[in-house]
Amino acid sequence: MKTQRSRTPILVASVCAVLAGAGLASAQPAAQPAAPAAPAAAPAAQPAAAPATAPPAPTTGGLPAAPAIPGTGTPAPAPADSAAPLGDKAPGAGAAAASKEPAVAPAWYEELAKKPHETGGNFWVPIAANEAGDGSDVLYYGVLGLSFFFFIAIAAVTIYFVIRYRHRPGHKAEPSAAHNDTLEITWTVIPTIICVFLFFYGWRNYINLVTPPQRALEVQVLARKWQWQFTHHNGVQDSNLHVPVNTPVRMVMTSQDVLHSFYIPVFRVKQDVIPRRYTYAWFEATKPGVYRLYCAEYCGTDHSQMKVNVVVHEPGGYERYLADAQERMQNLPPVELGRMAYEKKGCIGCHTLDGSPKVGPSFKGDFGGTVNLKDGTTVKMDENYIRESILNPQAKARPGYPPSMPSFEGQLKEKELTGLIEFIKSLK
């Protein structure tokens, strides 16, 4: 009994010490170490021993850890949210919810068309990538060589005669020949032979350049200020030209507004594009890569910006481009389809997205508001106004801008027209 009574106070003191230590630890700030616990009682086998000092309570994530379970030495399980300080979140938490849904990523063929174009070649001409254009290079170098030869020959003879027959004291002028049949025949026959040869070789190459093979692949070309539009046989339209390698391609071209000129230096192809009639050009690309296409006829303010890339695909790449581009056009959401039409139908050349005017008014911020018209009236900018302005731009023209926008009647599919309207609405 004596032993049992002596153990009871010791057990009570142990429990009080543990509770006191837990209370002091939780009362301290998270950044401060916990206060020492109350003196712990000695084990039951040593009732008269001096009390021991409990170690500071460990912390977890800035918060005090749970006290150890009496008699076991095992810490109590920590709360589920004790791994991080209260009020803090993991880095980036909620960022996905706060950020807007990203735009549709560019397709592989769009990334390919954005690659830097080939700039190789020599001082005289760029690289050649068209089988039908090889004859042009031969003729060019032939004429260049003849020009150098005759320039040097004539200059040398002239310098010799100036020195040889210069005026000197004591020398009388020699009589000049009045006629020399041999010399006259020579300088007439030789240039004639050269000219006939150049004409024959040039005419033969010209006939080759304007006569495409019977089964050439056709691409429809529409030129307008200041953009090109290429339509392939399955209906895919693009502002960059995509063609297969080692395949004859025939371009059927017309202009919607003024005179343009279709010019691809690496293919040695240049052809005027004329309103209200069709013109033609063809080539057979021999080297896959990205090349440059220019408008070589001054056509207005942004003529120098009317340049796009020509993508010559590896075998099989052109067919993949047509299939992927057609599928993407069918599956794009309206806003993204409108963005694509804005970039590929020529809108980007005249209308900005940042609120600043260009050739035409900016697309940003006007939807839902009231806009002033040239005749002094106003109109609400809604879906009907945007549609009418695309199909009949001069019906309700705005002041301060030239009447240079062509009608897109018949140029846009209904889905593309709806997409453009939704895209403009999204720019509030």
Side-chain angles (χ1 to χ4, degrees):
M1 292 295 293
K2 184 177 181 180
T3 305
Q4 185 176 1
R5 290 193 190 99
S6 64
R7 290 180 177 180
T8 299
I10 295 173
L11 183 58
V12 173
S14 300
V15 174
C16 292
V18 170
L19 293 176
L24 289 172
S26 61
Q28 297 295 326
Q32 299 292 334
Q46 300 176 357
T53 302
T59 59
T60 305
L63 293 177
I69 300 175
T72 63
T74 304
D81 59 350
S82 63
L86 293 177
D88 291 346
K89 295 182 179 179
S99 62
K100 296 181 180 179
E101 184 178 351
V104 177
W108 63 270
Y109 50 84
E110 293 177 334
E111 294 291 346
L112 184 60
K114 292 179 182 178
K115 288 186 175 181
H117 61 278
E118 295 283 348
T119 57
N122 55 43
F123 178 80
W124 305 105
V125 293
I127 61 173
N130 177 18
E131 183 177 1
D134 291 344
S136 300
D137 287 2
V138 174
L139 186 60
Y140 173 80
Y141 285 122
V143 173
L144 188 65
L146 286 172
S147 300
F148 271 114
F149 171 78
F150 283 107
F151 171 78
I152 294 173
I154 293 173
V157 171
T158 301
I159 293 172
Y160 171 77
F161 284 166
V162 167
I163 296 174
R164 174 70 178 80
Y165 297 105
R166 70 186 186 278
H167 172 71
R168 287 170 290 177
H171 290 264
K172 293 183 179 181
E174 297 183 6
S176 299
H179 183 73
N180 190 315
D181 291 338
T182 303
L183 183 61
E184 292 177 1
I185 292 174
T186 301
W187 73 37
T188 301
V189 172
I190 292 179
T192 301
I193 293 174
I194 293 175
C195 290
V196 169
F197 171 78
L198 293 177
F199 171 81
F200 173 77
Y201 194 85
W203 175 255
R204 189 180 68 174
N205 279 280
Y206 171 77
I207 294 299
N208 184 39
L209 287 174
V210 299
T211 310
Q214 291 294 327
R215 296 185 178 181
L217 176 71
E218 281 196 1
V219 177
Q220 303 291 323
V221 182
L222 177 64
R224 56 173 170 254
K225 298 187 294 186
W226 290 273
Q227 186 250 356
W228 299 95
Q229 177 180 298
F230 305 98
T231 305
H232 300 268
H233 61 82
N234 68 340
V236 169
Q237 294 181 341
D238 207 324
S239 58
N240 292 297
L241 177 58
H242 294 256
V243 296
V245 69
N246 296 326
T247 302
V249 180
R250 181 174 182 254
M251 316 302 293
V252 181
M253 304 179 291
T254 189
S255 171
Q256 187 174 334
D257 38 44
V258 298
L259 185 67
H260 300 278
S261 186
F262 179 89
Y263 178 42
I264 308 178
V266 297
F267 293 163
R268 311 300 191 255
V269 171
K270 183 179 180 294
Q271 177 62 52
D272 284 351
V273 184
I274 305 171
R276 298 180 297 279
R277 62 171 292 184
Y278 289 103
T279 54
Y280 311 93
W282 80 279
F283 53 82
E284 184 175 347
T286 57
K287 298 177 182 178
V290 179
Y291 308 103
R292 203 61 152 174
L293 185 157
Y294 301 91
C295 175
E297 190 79 36
Y298 181 72
C299 54
T301 305
D302 284 344
H303 159 71
S304 62
Q305 301 304 314
M306 195 171 170
K307 51 190 177 183
V308 296
N309 280 347
V310 181
V311 181
V312 180
H313 290 272
E314 298 276 0
Y318 177 71
E319 291 75 14
R320 180 189 169 203
Y321 156 73
L322 292 180
D324 290 354
Q326 189 175 46
E327 181 181 2
R328 189 165 188 258
M329 289 286 292
Q330 296 172 351
N331 298 330
L332 274 179
V335 172
E336 291 304 321
L337 183 60
R339 183 187 297 275
M340 180 181 294
Y342 166 77
E343 295 174 351
K344 296 184 179 298
K345 298 294 184 178
C347 311
I348 193 173
C350 300
H351 303 277
T352 69
L353 304 181
D354 58 4
S356 61
K358 202 175 179 183
V359 179
S362 177
F363 282 170
K364 183 179 180 181
D366 284 343
F367 185 82
T370 301
V371 296
N372 299 319
L373 302 181
K374 277 186 176 181
D375 59 5
T377 61
T378 60
V379 65
K380 183 180 179 180
M381 185 173 180
D382 57 9
E383 290 87 349
N384 291 320
Y385 173 75
I386 297 175
R387 182 185 184 91
E388 184 180 17
S389 297
I390 294 173
L391 300 180
N392 187 9
Q394 307 309 320
K396 295 179 181 177
R398 297 172 65 174
Y401 302 101
S404 58
M405 178 174 172
S407 171
F408 281 81
E409 184 80 45
Q411 304 296 326
L412 294 172
K413 301 176 182 176
E414 187 62 32
K415 191 173 182 180
E416 293 175 316
L417 188 57
T418 302
L420 265 175
I421 295 173
E422 293 301 315
F423 174 62
I424 295 174
K425 290 168 62 177
S426 70
L427 299 174
K428 290 184 178 179

PDB file of all heavy atoms in Angstrom, residues 8-34:
ATOM      1  N   THR A   8       1.295   7.169  -6.779  1.00  0.00           N
ATOM      2  CA  THR A   8       0.189   7.996  -7.272  1.00  0.00           C
ATOM      3  C   THR A   8       0.594   9.450  -7.459  1.00  0.00           C
ATOM      4  O   THR A   8       0.354  10.054  -8.522  1.00  0.00           O
ATOM      5  CB  THR A   8      -1.002   7.887  -6.316  1.00  0.00           C
ATOM      6  OG1 THR A   8      -1.411   6.523  -6.269  1.00  0.00           O
ATOM      7  CG2 THR A   8      -2.175   8.741  -6.810  1.00  0.00           C
ATOM      8  N   PRO A   9       1.244  10.096  -6.436  1.00  0.00           N
ATOM      9  CA  PRO A   9       1.670  11.488  -6.687  1.00  0.00           C
ATOM     10  C   PRO A   9       2.646  11.642  -7.851  1.00  0.00           C
ATOM     11  O   PRO A   9       2.651  12.623  -8.578  1.00  0.00           O
ATOM     12  CB  PRO A   9       2.308  11.908  -5.363  1.00  0.00           C
ATOM     13  CG  PRO A   9       1.737  10.961  -4.364  1.00  0.00           C
ATOM     14  CD  PRO A   9       1.532   9.673  -5.057  1.00  0.00           C
ATOM     15  N   ILE A  10       3.494  10.647  -8.027  1.00  0.00           N
ATOM     16  CA  ILE A  10       4.481  10.727  -9.125  1.00  0.00           C
ATOM     17  C   ILE A  10       3.786  10.708 -10.477  1.00  0.00           C
ATOM     18  O   ILE A  10       4.090  11.471 -11.398  1.00  0.00           O
ATOM     19  CB  ILE A  10       5.499   9.576  -9.002  1.00  0.00           C
ATOM     20  CG1 ILE A  10       6.314   9.747  -7.727  1.00  0.00           C
ATOM     21  CG2 ILE A  10       6.390   9.510 -10.217  1.00  0.00           C
ATOM     22  CD1 ILE A  10       7.216   8.574  -7.427  1.00  0.00           C
ATOM     23  N   LEU A  11       2.780   9.826 -10.636  1.00  0.00           N
ATOM     24  CA  LEU A  11       2.052   9.730 -11.889  1.00  0.00           C
ATOM     25  C   LEU A  11       1.281  11.023 -12.180  1.00  0.00           C
ATOM     26  O   LEU A  11       1.265  11.539 -13.296  1.00  0.00           O
ATOM     27  CB  LEU A  11       1.088   8.541 -11.859  1.00  0.00           C
ATOM     28  CG  LEU A  11       0.294   8.277 -13.145  1.00  0.00           C
ATOM     29  CD1 LEU A  11       1.241   8.049 -14.316  1.00  0.00           C
ATOM     30  CD2 LEU A  11      -0.630   7.073 -12.951  1.00  0.00           C
ATOM     31  N   VAL A  12       0.648  11.588 -11.114  1.00  0.00           N
ATOM     32  CA  VAL A  12      -0.067  12.850 -11.277  1.00  0.00           C
ATOM     33  C   VAL A  12       0.875  13.972 -11.688  1.00  0.00           C
ATOM     34  O   VAL A  12       0.592  14.790 -12.571  1.00  0.00           O
ATOM     35  CB  VAL A  12      -0.810  13.215  -9.972  1.00  0.00           C
ATOM     36  CG1 VAL A  12      -1.414  14.600 -10.084  1.00  0.00           C
ATOM     37  CG2 VAL A  12      -1.899  12.188  -9.705  1.00  0.00           C
ATOM     38  N   ALA A  13       2.060  14.004 -11.045  1.00  0.00           N
ATOM     39  CA  ALA A  13       3.041  15.038 -11.406  1.00  0.00           C
ATOM     40  C   ALA A  13       3.508  14.905 -12.853  1.00  0.00           C
ATOM     41  O   ALA A  13       3.737  15.888 -13.554  1.00  0.00           O
ATOM     42  CB  ALA A  13       4.240  14.962 -10.463  1.00  0.00           C
ATOM     43  N   SER A  14       3.658  13.653 -13.349  1.00  0.00           N
ATOM     44  CA  SER A  14       4.089  13.440 -14.748  1.00  0.00           C
ATOM     45  C   SER A  14       3.065  13.969 -15.728  1.00  0.00           C
ATOM     46  O   SER A  14       3.372  14.645 -16.702  1.00  0.00           O
ATOM     47  CB  SER A  14       4.340  11.943 -15.003  1.00  0.00           C
ATOM     48  OG  SER A  14       5.349  11.459 -14.154  1.00  0.00           O
ATOM     49  N   VAL A  15       1.793  13.666 -15.454  1.00  0.00           N
ATOM     50  CA  VAL A  15       0.730  14.136 -16.337  1.00  0.00           C
ATOM     51  C   VAL A  15       0.671  15.661 -16.346  1.00  0.00           C
ATOM     52  O   VAL A  15       0.558  16.314 -17.390  1.00  0.00           O
ATOM     53  CB  VAL A  15      -0.624  13.533 -15.917  1.00  0.00           C
ATOM     54  CG1 VAL A  15      -1.757  14.133 -16.739  1.00  0.00           C
ATOM     55  CG2 VAL A  15      -0.602  12.016 -16.101  1.00  0.00           C
ATOM     56  N   CYS A  16       0.771  16.274 -15.147  1.00  0.00           N
ATOM     57  CA  CYS A  16       0.751  17.742 -15.079  1.00  0.00           C
ATOM     58  C   CYS A  16       1.926  18.359 -15.830  1.00  0.00           C
ATOM     59  O   CYS A  16       1.804  19.396 -16.482  1.00  0.00           O
ATOM     60  CB  CYS A  16       0.773  18.199 -13.601  1.00  0.00           C
ATOM     61  SG  CYS A  16      -0.759  17.766 -12.737  1.00  0.00           S
ATOM     62  N   ALA A  17       3.094  17.712 -15.703  1.00  0.00           N
ATOM     63  CA  ALA A  17       4.273  18.245 -16.406  1.00  0.00           C
ATOM     64  C   ALA A  17       4.086  18.221 -17.915  1.00  0.00           C
ATOM     65  O   ALA A  17       4.431  19.154 -18.638  1.00  0.00           O
ATOM     66  CB  ALA A  17       5.520  17.445 -16.000  1.00  0.00           C
ATOM     67  N   VAL A  18       3.521  17.103 -18.413  1.00  0.00           N
ATOM     68  CA  VAL A  18       3.305  17.006 -19.871  1.00  0.00           C
ATOM     69  C   VAL A  18       2.313  18.050 -20.351  1.00  0.00           C
ATOM     70  O   VAL A  18       2.503  18.743 -21.348  1.00  0.00           O
ATOM     71  CB  VAL A  18       2.842  15.587 -20.235  1.00  0.00           C
ATOM     72  CG1 VAL A  18       2.380  15.529 -21.691  1.00  0.00           C
ATOM     73  CG2 VAL A  18       3.948  14.587 -19.994  1.00  0.00           C
ATOM     74  N   LEU A  19       1.197  18.193 -19.609  1.00  0.00           N
ATOM     75  CA  LEU A  19       0.190  19.172 -20.005  1.00  0.00           C
ATOM     76  C   LEU A  19       0.725  20.590 -19.953  1.00  0.00           C
ATOM     77  O   LEU A  19       0.453  21.431 -20.816  1.00  0.00           O
ATOM     78  CB  LEU A  19      -1.049  19.035 -19.120  1.00  0.00           C
ATOM     79  CG  LEU A  19      -1.829  17.714 -19.294  1.00  0.00           C
ATOM     80  CD1 LEU A  19      -2.980  17.657 -18.297  1.00  0.00           C
ATOM     81  CD2 LEU A  19      -2.333  17.570 -20.707  1.00  0.00           C
ATOM     82  N   ALA A  20       1.522  20.887 -18.894  1.00  0.00           N
ATOM     83  CA  ALA A  20       2.102  22.225 -18.787  1.00  0.00           C
ATOM     84  C   ALA A  20       3.047  22.511 -19.936  1.00  0.00           C
ATOM     85  O   ALA A  20       3.091  23.605 -20.496  1.00  0.00           O
ATOM     86  CB  ALA A  20       2.833  22.371 -17.440  1.00  0.00           C
ATOM     87  N   GLY A  21       3.854  21.488 -20.305  1.00  0.00           N
ATOM     88  CA  GLY A  21       4.774  21.680 -21.453  1.00  0.00           C
ATOM     89  C   GLY A  21       4.033  21.923 -22.740  1.00  0.00           C
ATOM     90  O   GLY A  21       4.399  22.767 -23.537  1.00  0.00           O
ATOM     91  N   ALA A  22       2.931  21.178 -22.957  1.00  0.00           N
ATOM     92  CA  ALA A  22       2.149  21.390 -24.185  1.00  0.00           C
ATOM     93  C   ALA A  22       1.520  22.767 -24.213  1.00  0.00           C
ATOM     94  O   ALA A  22       1.494  23.448 -25.224  1.00  0.00           O
ATOM     95  CB  ALA A  22       1.073  20.310 -24.308  1.00  0.00           C
ATOM     96  N   GLY A  23       1.008  23.229 -23.054  1.00  0.00           N
ATOM     97  CA  GLY A  23       0.393  24.551 -23.020  1.00  0.00           C
ATOM     98  C   GLY A  23       1.377  25.663 -23.251  1.00  0.00           C
ATOM     99  O   GLY A  23       1.118  26.619 -23.960  1.00  0.00           O
ATOM    100  N   LEU A  24       2.578  25.587 -22.704  1.00  0.00           N
ATOM    101  CA  LEU A  24       3.585  26.618 -22.920  1.00  0.00           C
ATOM    102  C   LEU A  24       4.056  26.641 -24.370  1.00  0.00           C
ATOM    103  O   LEU A  24       4.293  27.693 -24.953  1.00  0.00           O
ATOM    104  CB  LEU A  24       4.776  26.391 -21.982  1.00  0.00           C
ATOM    105  CG  LEU A  24       4.498  26.676 -20.489  1.00  0.00           C
ATOM    106  CD1 LEU A  24       5.692  26.226 -19.666  1.00  0.00           C
ATOM    107  CD2 LEU A  24       4.214  28.157 -20.268  1.00  0.00           C
ATOM    108  N   ALA A  25       4.206  25.435 -24.951  1.00  0.00           N
ATOM    109  CA  ALA A  25       4.674  25.381 -26.345  1.00  0.00           C
ATOM    110  C   ALA A  25       3.670  26.011 -27.296  1.00  0.00           C
ATOM    111  O   ALA A  25       4.027  26.716 -28.224  1.00  0.00           O
ATOM    112  CB  ALA A  25       4.960  23.924 -26.748  1.00  0.00           C
ATOM    113  N   SER A  26       2.369  25.739 -27.064  1.00  0.00           N
ATOM    114  CA  SER A  26       1.375  26.306 -27.973  1.00  0.00           C
ATOM    115  C   SER A  26       1.162  27.778 -27.755  1.00  0.00           C
ATOM    116  O   SER A  26       0.707  28.490 -28.633  1.00  0.00           O
ATOM    117  CB  SER A  26       0.038  25.562 -27.790  1.00  0.00           C
ATOM    118  OG  SER A  26      -0.417  25.723 -26.440  1.00  0.00           O
ATOM    119  N   ALA A  27       1.519  28.305 -26.576  1.00  0.00           N
ATOM    120  CA  ALA A  27       1.355  29.736 -26.309  1.00  0.00           C
ATOM    121  C   ALA A  27       2.423  30.569 -26.955  1.00  0.00           C
ATOM    122  O   ALA A  27       2.260  31.756 -27.171  1.00  0.00           O
ATOM    123  CB  ALA A  27       1.349  29.988 -24.790  1.00  0.00           C
ATOM    124  N   GLN A  28       3.609  30.011 -27.314  1.00  0.00           N
ATOM    125  CA  GLN A  28       4.695  30.765 -27.931  1.00  0.00           C
ATOM    126  C   GLN A  28       4.410  30.993 -29.419  1.00  0.00           C
ATOM    127  O   GLN A  28       3.761  30.194 -30.065  1.00  0.00           O
ATOM    128  CB  GLN A  28       6.032  30.008 -27.783  1.00  0.00           C
ATOM    129  CG  GLN A  28       6.473  29.824 -26.342  1.00  0.00           C
ATOM    130  CD  GLN A  28       6.776  31.144 -25.670  1.00  0.00           C
ATOM    131  OE1 GLN A  28       7.260  32.050 -26.335  1.00  0.00           O
ATOM    132  NE2 GLN A  28       6.494  31.260 -24.388  1.00  0.00           N
ATOM    133  N   PRO A  29       4.941  32.119 -30.004  1.00  0.00           N
ATOM    134  CA  PRO A  29       4.796  32.328 -31.458  1.00  0.00           C
ATOM    135  C   PRO A  29       5.483  31.229 -32.247  1.00  0.00           C
ATOM    136  O   PRO A  29       6.426  30.606 -31.762  1.00  0.00           O
ATOM    137  CB  PRO A  29       5.469  33.689 -31.705  1.00  0.00           C
ATOM    138  CG  PRO A  29       5.483  34.348 -30.349  1.00  0.00           C
ATOM    139  CD  PRO A  29       5.559  33.266 -29.333  1.00  0.00           C
ATOM    140  N   ALA A  30       5.025  31.053 -33.523  1.00  0.00           N
ATOM    141  CA  ALA A  30       5.578  29.970 -34.349  1.00  0.00           C
ATOM    142  C   ALA A  30       7.046  30.162 -34.602  1.00  0.00           C
ATOM    143  O   ALA A  30       7.798  29.216 -34.751  1.00  0.00           O
ATOM    144  CB  ALA A  30       4.824  29.894 -35.683  1.00  0.00           C
ATOM    145  N   ALA A  31       7.522  31.388 -34.641  1.00  0.00           N
ATOM    146  CA  ALA A  31       8.925  31.633 -34.959  1.00  0.00           C
ATOM    147  C   ALA A  31       9.827  31.430 -33.761  1.00  0.00           C
ATOM    148  O   ALA A  31      11.035  31.381 -33.887  1.00  0.00           O
ATOM    149  CB  ALA A  31       9.110  33.047 -35.488  1.00  0.00           C
ATOM    150  N   GLN A  32       9.277  31.351 -32.538  1.00  0.00           N
ATOM    151  CA  GLN A  32      10.084  31.204 -31.337  1.00  0.00           C
ATOM    152  C   GLN A  32      10.096  29.752 -30.914  1.00  0.00           C
ATOM    153  O   GLN A  32       9.099  29.040 -31.018  1.00  0.00           O
ATOM    154  CB  GLN A  32       9.502  32.067 -30.211  1.00  0.00           C
ATOM    155  CG  GLN A  32       9.487  33.556 -30.527  1.00  0.00           C
ATOM    156  CD  GLN A  32      10.875  34.126 -30.603  1.00  0.00           C
ATOM    157  OE1 GLN A  32      11.787  33.576 -29.980  1.00  0.00           O
ATOM    158  NE2 GLN A  32      11.047  35.170 -31.371  1.00  0.00           N
ATOM    159  N   PRO A  33      11.207  29.258 -30.377  1.00  0.00           N
ATOM    160  CA  PRO A  33      11.228  27.883 -29.865  1.00  0.00           C
ATOM    161  C   PRO A  33      10.327  27.767 -28.656  1.00  0.00           C
ATOM    162  O   PRO A  33      10.129  28.703 -27.901  1.00  0.00           O
ATOM    163  CB  PRO A  33      12.707  27.641 -29.530  1.00  0.00           C
ATOM    164  CG  PRO A  33      13.274  28.996 -29.318  1.00  0.00           C
ATOM    165  CD  PRO A  33      12.507  29.926 -30.209  1.00  0.00           C
ATOM    166  N   ALA A  34       9.797  26.590 -28.453  1.00  0.00           N
ATOM    167  CA  ALA A  34       8.887  26.355 -27.325  1.00  0.00           C
ATOM    168  C   ALA A  34       9.643  26.472 -26.002  1.00  0.00           C
ATOM    169  O   ALA A  34      10.830  26.163 -25.894  1.00  0.00           O
ATOM    170  CB  ALA A  34       8.255  24.972 -27.440  1.00  0.00           C
TER     171      ALA A  34
END
